[in-house]
Amino acid sequence: FDYLEKKPAAITSVSPSKASIRTAATARVTVRNLPGTDAASDIAVQLVWSNVRNTSLQVLSVTRSDVRKQVYEMQEWYADVTTPVDVEEGAVTVRVIHRVFGAFVELQAGLTMYDDALPQVMSVSGPDGAGQTSANVPRSVPSEVTITVNKAPAGVATSVYTAVVGSSAVNVTFATVDSKRIAQVVVTSPKQQPAGVVHGLIAFGAVPASCVSACCEAASCVVDCPGVFTA
């Protein structure tokens, strides 16, 4: 006999990785090294929040990547599911369960639920490049960073926009918003020691002392920044 090492099961992707809490959408969860199936009823997919609360999703279909393999053979497959509405915001664990075998696999922070009626960062641009939610900046000198935000709150003057990087307020050098509520905010990023990821936020008004950018990672800005919209 030639004994082979068992390959660990894994969720390799969840696409898209973000879903609105207001509108249901279809997401695709791809799994490998778990028994396959052709029946959606064999599979359960759950979202698990940090408080252990979980929500079961509707499994629309299951598709095996290689139909030449035996149905229940270990293999790669994906399940299309319907995302939930009226749930808590934040990054959640995605859990896939094979009902026939009782096997399951999880991906922590596999899906982020967000309120798309609130301001959302569209892009961040710095001297060393741009990204959808982040950008690289030199840590040795202050840098100018441009943040583009969709669904900026109506009726808020750009003169009261504020920015926080880490736990400190930073200078907003320029801000504008158009008729489609797309705002561009230019801030001066401070020198940073040591190198690493630092979270930041744009607040559309004065920020209370409890409002620091750690709330971005914890998805708790609605609670930590009462009375002001943030992105």
Side-chain angles (χ1 to χ4, degrees):
F1 295 98
D2 185 11
Y3 292 97
L4 301 177
E5 182 180 358
K6 181 181 178 181
K7 296 180 180 179
I11 296 173
T12 58
S13 70
V14 179
S15 181
S17 59
K18 296 177 68 177
S20 168
I21 65 172
R22 294 178 179 267
T23 306
T26 300
R28 177 163 293 179
V29 182
T30 303
V31 177
R32 70 181 178 197
N33 300 327
L34 207 64
T37 182
D38 289 328
S41 58
D42 285 348
I43 302 301
V45 179
Q46 299 175 339
L47 301 184
V48 185
W49 275 258
S50 57
N51 60 6
V52 195
R53 173 179 173 269
N54 67 75
T55 296
S56 295
L57 307 186
Q58 179 186 10
V59 180
L60 302 173
S61 62
V62 176
T63 304
R64 294 184 292 124
S65 298
D66 187 353
V67 296
R68 296 171 299 178
K69 292 188 175 184
Q70 296 294 319
V71 172
Y72 288 142
E73 187 178 343
M74 292 289 190
Q75 58 192 286
E76 181 180 80
W77 50 268
Y78 59 82
D80 287 339
V81 299
T82 302
T83 60
V85 297
D86 298 327
V87 295
E88 298 173 44
E89 290 184 85
V92 295
T93 295
V94 178
R95 176 186 294 157
V96 176
I97 305 168
H98 200 301
R99 300 180 191 272
V100 176
F101 296 92
F104 72 93
V105 64
E106 294 181 338
L107 178 63
Q108 293 186 350
L111 183 66
T112 299
M113 304 300 301
Y114 72 100
D115 189 343
D116 60 1
L118 298 178
Q120 300 289 329
V121 173
M122 297 172 63
S123 67
V124 182
S125 177
D128 292 340
Q132 184 175 356
T133 58
S134 64
N136 293 327
V137 297
R139 63 188 178 95
S140 57
V141 294
S143 303
E144 189 174 87
V145 178
T146 301
I147 301 102
T148 303
V149 180
N150 190 27
K151 297 190 178 177
V156 178
T158 56
S159 59
V160 301
Y161 288 9
T162 55
V164 177
V165 174
S167 58
S168 302
V170 298
N171 187 37
V172 175
T173 58
F174 176 78
T176 184
V177 63
D178 65 18
S179 59
K180 295 181 179 179
R181 295 172 52 197
I182 296 176
Q184 283 197 327
V185 185
V186 180
V187 304
T188 302
S189 174
K191 293 190 293 184
Q192 175 65 32
Q193 297 287 346
V197 175
V198 179
H199 289 88
L201 62 84
I202 300 297
F204 299 90
V207 293
S210 60
C211 186
V212 295
S213 60
C215 73
C216 301
E217 187 174 14
S220 60
C221 294
V222 172
V223 175
D224 295 342
C225 308
V228 61
F229 288 106
T230 61

